[in-house]
Amino acid sequence: MINESLLKPKSIVVVGASEDITKPGGKLLKNILEGGYQGNLYVINPRHDTVQGIASYKSVADLPQIPDLAILAIPAQLCVSVTEELTQKGTRAFIVISAGFSEDGPEGKKLEEALTKAINKVDGTLIGPNCIGVLTPTYSGIFTSPVPRLDPKGCDFVSGSGSTAVFILESALPKGLTFASLISVGNSAQLGIEEVLEHWDHTYVPGRSSDIKLIYVEHIQNPDKLLKHASSLVRKGCRIAAIKSGITEAGKRATASHTGAMASADSAVEALFRKAGIVRCFGREELTTVASVFNYPRLEGKNLAIITHAGGAGVMLTDALSQGGLAIPPIEGKDRDHLLSLLNPGASASNPIDILATGTAEQLGQVIEYCDQKMDNIHGMIVIFGSTGLSRVFDAYQTIHEKMKQCRKPVFPILPSISSAREEVEFFLSHGHINFPDEVMLGRALTTIHQTPLPADEEIFKEGIDLEEIRTIIKAAPEGFLDPGTINDLLQAAGIPVVQEGVATSRKELLALARQFEYPVALKVVGPVHKSDVGGVILNIKSDEHLIAEYKRMRKIKGVKSVLIQKMQTGTELFIGAKYEPTFGHVILCGLGGIFVEALGDHSSGLAPLTFNEARSMVRSLKSYPIIRGIRGQEGINEDQFVEIIVRLSTLLRFATEIKEMDLNPLIGNSNEIRVVDARMRIEK
Amino acid sequence: MINESLLKPKSIVVVGASEDITKPGGKLLKNILEGGYQGNLYVINPRHDTVQGIASYKSVADLPQIPDLAILAIPAQLCVSVTEELTQKGTRAFIVISAGFSEDGPEGKKLEEALTKAINKVDGTLIGPNCIGVLTPTYSGIFTSPVPRLDPKGCDFVSGSGSTAVFILESALPKGLTFASLISVGNSAQLGIEEVLEHWDHTYVPGRSSDIKLIYVEHIQNPDKLLKHASSLVRKGCRIAAIKSGITEAGKRATASHTGAMASADSAVEALFRKAGIVRCFGREELTTVASVFNYPRLEGKNLAIITHAGGAGVMLTDALSQGGLAIPPIEGKDRDHLLSLLNPGASASNPIDILATGTAEQLGQVIEYCDQKMDNIHGMIVIFGSTGLSRVFDAYQTIHEKMKQCRKPVFPILPSISSAREEVEFFLSHGHINFPDEVMLGRALTTIHQTPLPADEEIFKEGIDLEEIRTIIKAAPEGFLDPGTINDLLQAAGIPVVQEGVATSRKELLALARQFEYPVALKVVGPVHKSDVGGVILNIKSDEHLIAEYKRMRKIKGVKSVLIQKMQTGTELFIGAKYEPTFGHVILCGLGGIFVEALGDHSSGLAPLTFNEARSMVRSLKSYPIIRGIRGQEGINEDQFVEIIVRLSTLLRFATEIKEMDLNPLIGNSNEIRVVDARMRIEK
């Protein structure tokens, strides 16, 4: 657990602090001093009386006070004994920046275990080892540059890689992003990414805590914990963006060589982030752009107005937003007329609203205000305003600043003239705003956020699912692939519909089954192995006459004693599959069936158990969703039922974790109903 | 035609130059003066004797010399008469920055026509009107800021939008990109994007001209001309990147409101750029990042080594490169052993090569050198080297600089520490290099370039295509949809295989046809409209016995006098379609058949006529290409034949431009052969 001694230490000792600021121990002390730490600061360095002006002591025993927090920048071999001394005296928080622990081999691993044991024994907090440190509003305990500007409403940031954290700060600071805290977890000997999230969750105070959380993670140790606290934070009003690197095969090898950690299967990560409501990013620039958007009010719908004095940038932005699912609805009728009445001749108000190069700051302000107050179908405004270098644009930027303060809806500023209007942009940023110099990058960040669903509910759907029966079947089943009968029983217990079929040995039986199923039906011989080669498969039979004719013909085929009649499922092939990922649980994939699933990779994933909202979001995020919805007069597929089957299956799997992999493939669906036509399950106990 | 007077004027007059540098005429004169123009510079401004220190004259008649180039910054109404006076005296180049022409309505359009006519009459050059001007190594004739640094080997840049050109410069200059020229074509009254490309093509001198061309275009006026000169330039060794904005429905409306120009259908643009070998970009940051890559040597293969001292950035880069089709091949065996022998314990050489935070500049240099000289399967290196703020990294950047000069292979630098190592990064850039601060953005630029094919050959494939017959059929055909017989004849004339079929009215005929086609076959009744409802369609018949049984049964169905027997095409459905786009010609689309084409939009496009290379690149760029190639033991599709059919169809269309739209849908193909099963064509004469 992260304790107060770590976050708000009244006293700190830097063990191994140095005069030499090219050494971690030297630079870290310098950062603490420059950060204006207000508590008592001590140094342990036996070779000096003072270090950087701070009293230095030879050993723990010499310290005039028991420090709340100890920061260790000494060789790994020395860390354990110093730590033990300090814990015995009463120190309860430790940051170990020293390397040479588990990342270095078995010897280092032993040292790390001893270190952790010493701190756990007194219920203390350990960050690291092998990290760049911790930054809180109380102290700047990192040994790297740049040190971000601290702001209680800035980003909280946890990173699984120290150097990557530094590089993310390099991308963040020029944008004007500020930070409330930074924790570099290093080897995560005691506390990892998940525990930091847990801490953020447990200590969250609405209106006082930061609402923006950033994560860089290479290996997810405890998906359940991450899910629990991330989704809890999002429900409380936080916005979380994260990079999970190491997603491709080659990338995985890179992770392995880097941290010795196996990357989690990417679909599991994708599913986890969706379930938690985390906005997933793939690069530093993307992460800091999304974080910049988080600094603005939330977009409460998908309709945006683009207000610009330069057409081209508006067109590129429109392209980027539309491709990502946001809308730039046409402005028509009285709104359009009113806007045009505010503007110079030749202006356009059809959205993008082009106020022309001759447009004034006053006109800009009036347009923003009208969009904010009078247009209910507009949920946010993006203002593109640069300079051609002819005149200063202070007045326009002052107007944008004022409107941003007044508007109920978010206003995102794109000020592209970062060199020719440098002073004006700096003036604008000095009000605490963040600028988006590139319209397409803002557009992509907005759509990435827009496409991230809210976190899922936690309740498990159990209606019409016979859990007792499922457990009984699973207990009785042997390991390996289940037989078709058992699979059918399981699906039935979960309320999942399977295709109707029956075997007939006489015309009478056959016609009775046909009555029951209703035409069309398929007829297949029972007996011959290569049915189709002997003319033993006829699909889509629609009349008694045709049925009997084929029956008569088939009975004459050698080796045929009976026929299988199946309700002809007409429609489109669908697919639901699941795989048990250790630590993650069942990852469920769905998509359209056939070879396309594999070739196009058009499937979406979720983690069991799934809610209806999650399953619906999975279905709707398929590229092939238009086929399910129905396109150009083509009949669609019963979406509600598809969603329900996915949910039912997820509950089944939640209570049958022995099922390690399974496929319902195909299900065949039309606008009326969906049924499982073939299924496969493998269990391990 | 662009003439020397425009590019290298010995004398310039700025008509309407002003003391007021917030006015275009004032700022433009200032830029020319600050740009150090060496020729004779005059001003026409009747209210002053000098303007910004330059002699000012009352009228054209008063000028002491006939200027080579006139730049007009006066009201549109006055432009025509001044231009006529100047042309009569002998001026042959004009840049008209004034607005108020065709973009302003019918009156302005007339003025623009008169202006153009006056200049055309003397075979002069006109840039504009309604543009920001022209920048060449001789003079800085633009009225905007920023003015880029000129360099004969920098980018040549043509823009269809003045303000967008300015904003692109804002993104380009901080990266260190330099420019050889900028032409803002404005309303393109005489010269547009295409004519500028033509000029670049005709004046290209290897080793002396710039090899980097950038284009921003909202409306392609003359696709043939653009294709001709862009592909010629690429063949000569140039690299071209372009933004064509206005691609989505909403984006198109935006273009329309901006320039009054209808956006071209996006698939035609996509096809045009592919055919020309133009790297397509979608935003300013992307364009300038691609241009930055163009400043480095070409990557002559797809294998990259990543050399880093910080793991996380290497992992994210690996993800981005692999996803875009570039490879980070594992390094093994003696190469790996050798690299490890150069590095500190704990380093990794499996690619990414992690030299560790403790790695020295010397080690970095040795690794780069080894990759360059000893590893044939590595085509380029990406070096990620930042600073944690502990020590200066001048030595490492000096090493990277030196290795970049020495290496045969490209070395792309990612220096993320733009603030904590600002001085070092500036030192590095001062050697003329370009830095990529974000690894993922570099990764995406490299893959975008990698995915752009070389320009297509110009020769049209005619082997086995009876062009005379095609013209005869087209001439004889009426307007509208062609009947199946005519379509068959056309396809046959082009050498495109269609499915075998025949009608039989007797068992004997039927069996003869079955012999000819070979089993399996399909049997369909002729007569009834809803064939399948009456049991009138049986697929996949594999024996005489089954065939005759079905024939007997079918002949008893009411209204059935004969049956259609078709060779049963088994395999996967494919699709080829074409649409005639005015000015572009036939855009040909191909993909897998069925509802997936529409729903997933998984098709690729090309412009007729197509070469085999182009058609192959179209087929291979399909997301569903793995299905054609064959996946996981599944039989693939005869790719060579698919490619050939696409080429044959493109030749057919090239010589039958009366065909305005057409579909071959489906073709059915397997690893053996592909045949057209259904086709539709509509002609307009």
Side-chain angles (χ1 to χ4, degrees):
Chain A
M1 267 290 283
I2 291 176
N3 57 28
E4 284 294 291
S5 295
L6 179 78
L7 300 171
K8 295 179 187 165
K10 295 199 178 63
S11 50
I12 301 178
V13 62
V14 182
V15 185
S18 160
E19 287 287 349
D20 182 353
I21 59 160
T22 71
K23 291 191 172 156
K27 186 67 181 293
L28 196 141
L29 183 62
K30 182 165 180 273
N31 280 343
I32 292 179
L33 288 168
E34 287 183 352
Y37 173 59
Q38 300 290 316
N40 299 329
L41 184 59
Y42 307 104
V43 160
I44 293 182
N45 183 331
R47 283 171 302 170
H48 296 277
D49 290 336
T50 64
V51 173
Q52 296 183 39
I54 299 297
S56 173
Y57 300 89
K58 300 225 175 313
S59 69
V60 171
D62 297 337
L63 288 174
Q65 175 187 4
I66 307 305
D68 283 353
L69 166 66
I71 305 179
L72 274 57
I74 50 176
Q77 295 78 7
L78 306 178
C79 284
V80 180
S81 59
V82 172
T83 300
E84 281 173 346
E85 251 185 292
L86 282 162
T87 53
Q88 278 156 23
K89 295 256 183 193
T91 299
R92 292 293 173 264
F94 293 83
I95 301 169
V96 181
I97 63 174
S98 322
F101 288 91
S102 64
E103 83 284 3
D104 232 29
E107 282 305 311
K109 193 165 169 30
K110 272 185 207 153
L111 286 176
E112 190 169 309
E113 283 165 0
L115 182 75
T116 313
K117 195 174 156 194
I119 295 168
N120 283 346
K121 205 167 140 188
V122 297
D123 221 7
T125 295
L126 167 61
I127 298 293
N130 188 24
C131 70
I132 63 165
V134 170
L135 197 81
T136 82
T138 306
Y139 67 104
S140 298
I142 59 172
F143 70 83
T144 54
S145 297
V147 177
R149 196 153 60 84
L150 286 170
D151 168 3
K153 302 297 284 176
C155 310
D156 281 321
F157 176 25
V158 61
S159 178
S161 155
S163 64
T164 309
V166 174
F167 296 166
I168 287 171
L169 292 177
E170 288 281 5
S171 162
L173 303 195
K175 295 190 169 66
L177 280 173
T178 59
F179 285 78
S181 74
L182 160 62
I183 299 179
S184 157
V185 295
N187 292 358
S188 304
Q190 186 203 56
L191 299 173
I193 304 274
E194 292 85 347
E195 287 72 27
V196 173
L197 271 164
E198 179 181 39
H199 165 73
W200 287 342
D201 185 17
H202 287 164
T203 59
Y204 181 81
V205 180
R208 239 178 50 214
S209 304
S210 165
D211 287 339
I212 304 174
K213 314 292 182 192
L214 304 183
I215 302 170
Y216 174 83
V217 54
E218 294 181 349
H219 179 49
I220 296 173
Q221 298 276 358
N222 190 335
D224 274 350
K225 195 165 189 173
L226 192 149
L227 171 62
K228 179 176 171 190
H229 297 296
S231 49
S232 167
L233 281 164
V234 175
R235 277 190 214 102
K236 289 173 182 171
C238 288
R239 311 175 80 180
I240 308 182
I243 298 176
K244 160 73 179 76
S245 67
I247 56 171
T248 54
E249 280 308 311
K252 271 187 225 169
R253 194 180 59 246
T255 305
S257 72
H258 174 48
T259 64
M262 261 302 287
S264 315
D266 193 58
S267 55
V269 174
E270 187 72 38
L272 181 68
F273 280 20
R274 285 179 73 82
K275 203 175 183 76
I278 295 172
V279 177
R280 187 171 188 189
C281 300
F282 294 88
R284 295 184 288 120
E285 195 62 29
E286 191 185 347
L287 181 74
T288 56
T289 305
V290 165
S292 299
V293 172
F294 284 173
N295 273 269
Y296 285 94
R298 235 172 252 269
L299 196 54
E300 303 287 359
K302 64 172 192 169
N303 291 343
L304 286 154
I306 297 174
I307 305 163
T308 177
H309 68 153
V315 181
M316 289 187 276
L317 177 58
T318 300
D319 286 340
L321 292 169
S322 321
Q323 284 187 320
L326 288 169
I328 300 85
I331 297 174
E332 288 158 348
K334 71 165 187 38
D335 288 333
R336 187 166 161 277
D337 295 345
H338 180 81
L339 286 169
L340 285 177
S341 77
L342 299 171
L343 301 175
N344 296 348
S348 161
S350 60
N351 204 11
I353 302 166
D354 189 344
I355 70 168
L356 300 180
T358 54
T360 64
E362 195 192 348
Q363 291 172 326
L364 178 64
Q366 288 170 330
V367 171
I368 297 173
E369 202 172 300
Y370 188 83
C371 291
D372 188 55
Q373 294 180 6
K374 304 288 183 187
M375 299 186 63
D376 291 343
N377 72 327
I378 292 295
H379 305 110
M381 289 77 82
I382 302 180
V383 178
I384 307 176
F385 208 96
S387 163
T388 53
L390 282 183
S391 49
R392 310 308 290 261
V393 286
F394 284 107
D395 56 346
Y397 290 6
Q398 176 67 29
T399 299
I400 299 173
H401 161 60
E402 282 164 13
K403 294 302 164 195
M404 286 170 77
K405 278 197 304 185
Q406 293 162 9
C407 285
R408 291 172 301 135
K409 302 171 186 172
V411 179
F412 301 98
I414 295 173
L415 313 182
S417 301
I418 48 175
S419 78
S420 73
R422 180 191 299 271
E423 286 173 36
E424 291 97 316
V425 172
E426 276 167 11
F427 158 80
F428 179 81
L429 296 181
S430 73
H431 290 106
H433 299 307
I434 293 176
N435 176 31
F436 299 91
D438 189 81
E439 53 279 355
V440 171
M441 294 189 62
L442 169 63
R444 290 187 182 154
L446 284 171
T447 58
T448 302
I449 295 167
H450 171 70
Q451 288 164 2
T452 306
L454 288 174
D457 290 339
E458 282 162 336
E459 211 172 313
I460 300 178
F461 176 82
K462 293 175 185 166
E463 229 174 277
I465 300 181
D466 188 341
L467 294 177
E468 211 173 311
E469 171 75 5
I470 288 170
R471 290 308 311 157
T472 309
I473 298 171
I474 292 288
K475 272 183 201 152
E479 295 223 336
F481 284 99
L482 296 184
D483 65 88
T486 310
I487 291 174
N488 258 2
D489 292 346
L490 274 174
L491 294 176
Q492 226 148 45
I496 295 172
V498 296
V499 73
Q500 293 171 279
E501 61 179 32
V503 172
T505 46
S506 69
R507 286 191 201 195
K508 196 177 149 191
E509 279 173 32
L510 188 63
L511 285 170
L513 286 167
R515 287 287 163 282
Q516 187 189 325
F517 300 163
E518 293 181 356
Y519 289 115
V521 297
L523 202 63
K524 300 174 185 177
V525 293
V526 175
V529 180
H530 301 291
K531 297 179 171 59
S532 147
D533 286 352
V534 295
V537 178
I538 298 290
L539 302 176
N540 210 21
I541 296 172
K542 291 180 178 171
S543 67
D544 285 358
E545 201 179 355
H546 189 185
L547 181 70
I548 296 302
E550 297 295 357
Y551 176 74
K552 277 164 64 180
R553 186 180 61 74
M554 283 184 186
R555 284 302 300 264
K556 289 179 198 154
I557 295 171
K558 194 178 162 192
V560 174
K561 293 268 181 300
S562 60
V563 294
L564 179 78
I565 176 170
Q566 268 183 335
K567 166 84 178 167
M568 184 80 196
Q569 286 305 122
T570 54
T572 305
E573 288 191 7
L574 300 163
F575 148 86
I576 309 174
K579 186 166 181 287
Y580 186 83
E581 288 285 344
T583 78
F584 280 82
H586 282 105
V587 179
I588 297 180
L589 303 180
C590 73
L592 266 76
I595 47 176
F596 288 88
V597 174
E598 202 168 336
L600 301 187
D602 180 33
H603 49 71
S604 55
S605 53
L607 279 182
L610 293 165
T611 64
F612 278 77
N613 278 341
E614 276 183 284
R616 194 170 299 276
S617 154
M618 282 169 67
V619 170
R620 293 199 169 169
S621 72
L622 291 170
K623 289 192 217 87
S624 50
Y625 174 65
I627 294 173
I628 292 168
R629 201 189 48 217
I631 40 170
R632 297 226 188 141
Q634 292 223 36
E635 187 193 359
I637 294 164
N638 187 334
E639 181 181 337
D640 289 339
Q641 198 187 2
F642 192 36
V643 167
E644 186 179 327
I645 293 174
I646 296 170
V647 172
R648 288 183 177 278
L649 183 73
S650 82
T651 302
L652 162 65
L653 292 170
R654 179 66 188 75
F655 291 94
T657 49
E658 294 88 346
I659 300 178
K660 297 307 176 201
E661 42 177 329
M662 59 139 302
D663 282 316
L664 306 185
N665 189 17
L667 302 102
I668 292 185
N670 51 41
S671 60
N672 185 34
E673 63 161 12
I674 304 174
R675 283 176 182 261
V676 177
V677 175
D678 207 353
R680 230 171 50 110
M681 292 186 185
R682 188 177 63 77
I683 71 175
E684 262 175 47
K685 292 187 179 176
Chain B
M1 266 290 283
I2 291 176
N3 57 27
E4 284 294 290
S5 295
L6 178 78
L7 299 171
K8 295 179 188 165
K10 294 199 177 64
S11 50
I12 302 178
V13 62
V14 182
V15 185
S18 158
E19 286 287 348
D20 182 352
I21 59 158
T22 71
K23 292 192 172 156
K27 186 66 182 292
L28 197 141
L29 182 63
K30 182 166 181 271
N31 280 343
I32 292 179
L33 288 169
E34 288 183 351
Y37 173 60
Q38 300 289 317
N40 298 328
L41 184 58
Y42 307 105
V43 159
I44 293 182
N45 183 331
R47 283 172 301 171
H48 296 278
D49 290 337
T50 64
V51 173
Q52 297 183 39
I54 299 297
S56 172
Y57 299 89
K58 299 226 175 312
S59 69
V60 171
D62 297 338
L63 287 174
Q65 175 187 5
I66 307 305
D68 283 354
L69 167 65
I71 304 178
L72 273 58
I74 50 176
Q77 296 77 9
L78 306 178
C79 284
V80 179
S81 60
V82 171
T83 300
E84 281 173 345
E85 250 186 294
L86 282 162
T87 53
Q88 277 156 24
K89 295 255 183 194
T91 300
R92 292 293 174 264
F94 294 82
I95 301 169
V96 181
I97 63 175
S98 322
F101 287 90
S102 64
E103 83 283 4
D104 232 30
E107 283 304 311
K109 193 165 168 32
K110 272 186 207 153
L111 286 176
E112 190 168 309
E113 282 164 1
L115 182 76
T116 313
K117 195 175 158 196
I119 295 167
N120 283 346
K121 206 167 141 189
V122 297
D123 221 8
T125 294
L126 167 63
I127 298 294
N130 187 24
C131 70
I132 63 165
V134 170
L135 196 82
T136 82
T138 306
Y139 67 104
S140 298
I142 59 172
F143 71 82
T144 53
S145 298
V147 178
R149 196 153 61 84
L150 287 170
D151 167 5
K153 301 297 283 174
C155 310
D156 281 320
F157 176 26
V158 61
S159 179
S161 155
S163 65
T164 309
V166 173
F167 296 166
I168 288 171
L169 292 177
E170 288 281 4
S171 162
L173 303 195
K175 295 191 169 64
L177 280 174
T178 59
F179 285 77
S181 74
L182 160 63
I183 298 180
S184 158
V185 295
N187 291 358
S188 305
Q190 185 203 55
L191 299 173
I193 305 272
E194 292 85 346
E195 286 73 27
V196 173
L197 271 164
E198 179 181 38
H199 164 74
W200 288 341
D201 186 18
H202 288 163
T203 59
Y204 181 81
V205 180
R208 239 177 51 212
S209 304
S210 164
D211 286 338
I212 303 174
K213 313 292 182 191
L214 305 183
I215 302 171
Y216 175 82
V217 55
E218 293 181 351
H219 179 48
I220 296 172
Q221 298 276 357
N222 190 335
D224 273 351
K225 196 166 189 174
L226 191 149
L227 171 62
K228 179 176 171 191
H229 298 296
S231 50
S232 167
L233 281 164
V234 175
R235 278 190 214 103
K236 288 173 183 172
C238 287
R239 310 175 82 181
I240 308 182
I243 298 176
K244 160 72 180 76
S245 68
I247 56 170
T248 54
E249 281 307 313
K252 272 187 226 170
R253 196 181 58 246
T255 305
S257 71
H258 173 48
T259 64
M262 261 302 286
S264 314
D266 193 58
S267 55
V269 174
E270 187 71 38
L272 181 68
F273 281 20
R274 284 179 74 82
K275 204 175 182 75
I278 295 172
V279 177
R280 187 172 189 188
C281 300
F282 294 88
R284 296 184 288 120
E285 194 63 27
E286 192 185 347
L287 181 74
T288 56
T289 304
V290 166
S292 298
V293 173
F294 283 173
N295 272 270
Y296 285 95
R298 236 172 251 269
L299 196 55
E300 303 286 0
K302 65 171 192 171
N303 290 343
L304 286 154
I306 297 174
I307 305 163
T308 177
H309 68 153
V315 182
M316 289 187 277
L317 176 59
T318 300
D319 286 341
L321 292 169
S322 322
Q323 284 187 320
L326 288 169
I328 301 85
I331 297 173
E332 288 158 348
K334 73 165 185 39
D335 288 332
R336 187 166 161 276
D337 295 345
H338 181 81
L339 286 169
L340 285 177
S341 77
L342 300 171
L343 301 174
N344 297 347
S348 162
S350 59
N351 204 9
I353 302 166
D354 188 344
I355 71 168
L356 300 181
T358 54
T360 63
E362 196 192 347
Q363 291 173 326
L364 178 64
Q366 289 170 332
V367 171
I368 297 173
E369 201 172 301
Y370 189 83
C371 290
D372 187 56
Q373 294 181 6
K374 304 290 183 184
M375 298 186 62
D376 290 343
N377 71 326
I378 292 295
H379 305 109
M381 289 76 81
I382 302 181
V383 178
I384 307 176
F385 208 96
S387 163
T388 53
L390 282 184
S391 49
R392 310 309 291 259
V393 287
F394 284 107
D395 57 345
Y397 290 6
Q398 176 67 29
T399 300
I400 299 173
H401 161 61
E402 281 164 15
K403 294 301 164 194
M404 286 169 77
K405 278 197 304 185
Q406 293 161 9
C407 285
R408 292 171 300 135
K409 303 172 186 171
V411 179
F412 302 98
I414 295 172
L415 314 181
S417 302
I418 48 175
S419 78
S420 75
R422 180 190 299 271
E423 284 173 39
E424 292 97 316
V425 172
E426 276 167 10
F427 158 80
F428 179 80
L429 296 181
S430 73
H431 290 104
H433 300 306
I434 293 176
N435 177 31
F436 299 90
D438 188 82
E439 53 279 354
V440 171
M441 295 189 63
L442 169 62
R444 291 188 182 152
L446 284 171
T447 59
T448 302
I449 294 167
H450 172 69
Q451 288 164 2
T452 305
L454 288 174
D457 290 337
E458 282 161 336
E459 211 172 313
I460 300 178
F461 176 82
K462 293 176 185 165
E463 230 174 274
I465 300 181
D466 188 340
L467 294 178
E468 212 173 310
E469 171 75 6
I470 288 171
R471 290 308 311 158
T472 308
I473 298 171
I474 292 288
K475 273 184 200 149
E479 294 224 336
F481 285 99
L482 297 183
D483 64 87
T486 309
I487 292 174
N488 258 3
D489 291 348
L490 273 175
L491 293 176
Q492 225 149 45
I496 296 172
V498 296
V499 73
Q500 293 171 280
E501 60 179 35
V503 172
T505 46
S506 70
R507 285 191 202 197
K508 197 178 150 192
E509 278 172 33
L510 188 64
L511 285 171
L513 286 168
R515 286 288 161 284
Q516 187 189 324
F517 300 163
E518 292 180 358
Y519 288 114
V521 298
L523 202 61
K524 300 175 186 177
V525 293
V526 176
V529 178
H530 301 290
K531 296 179 172 61
S532 148
D533 286 351
V534 295
V537 178
I538 298 291
L539 303 176
N540 209 21
I541 295 171
K542 292 179 176 169
S543 67
D544 286 357
E545 201 180 355
H546 190 185
L547 181 69
I548 295 303
E550 297 296 355
Y551 176 74
K552 277 164 65 180
R553 186 181 60 75
M554 283 184 185
R555 284 302 300 264
K556 289 180 198 151
I557 295 170
K558 196 180 160 189
V560 174
K561 294 268 181 297
S562 60
V563 294
L564 179 79
I565 175 170
Q566 269 182 332
K567 166 86 178 168
M568 185 79 197
Q569 286 304 123
T570 54
T572 304
E573 289 191 6
L574 300 163
F575 147 88
I576 310 174
K579 185 164 182 284
Y580 187 82
E581 289 286 344
T583 78
F584 280 81
H586 282 104
V587 180
I588 298 181
L589 303 181
C590 73
L592 265 76
I595 46 176
F596 288 89
V597 174
E598 202 169 335
L600 302 187
D602 179 33
H603 49 70
S604 56
S605 53
L607 279 182
L610 293 165
T611 64
F612 278 77
N613 278 341
E614 275 182 283
R616 193 170 299 277
S617 154
M618 282 169 67
V619 171
R620 294 200 168 169
S621 72
L622 290 169
K623 290 192 217 89
S624 48
Y625 174 65
I627 295 173
I628 292 168
R629 200 189 49 215
I631 41 170
R632 296 227 188 143
Q634 292 223 36
E635 188 193 357
I637 294 165
N638 188 332
E639 181 181 336
D640 289 338
Q641 198 188 1
F642 192 36
V643 167
E644 187 179 326
I645 293 173
I646 295 169
V647 172
R648 288 182 177 279
L649 183 73
S650 82
T651 303
L652 162 65
L653 292 170
R654 178 67 188 76
F655 292 94
T657 48
E658 294 89 347
I659 301 178
K660 297 307 176 200
E661 41 177 331
M662 60 139 302
D663 282 315
L664 307 183
N665 190 15
L667 303 100
I668 292 185
N670 52 41
S671 60
N672 186 34
E673 63 161 12
I674 303 175
R675 283 176 182 261
V676 177
V677 175
D678 207 352
R680 231 170 49 109
M681 293 187 185
R682 188 177 62 77
I683 72 175
E684 262 174 45
K685 290 186 178 176

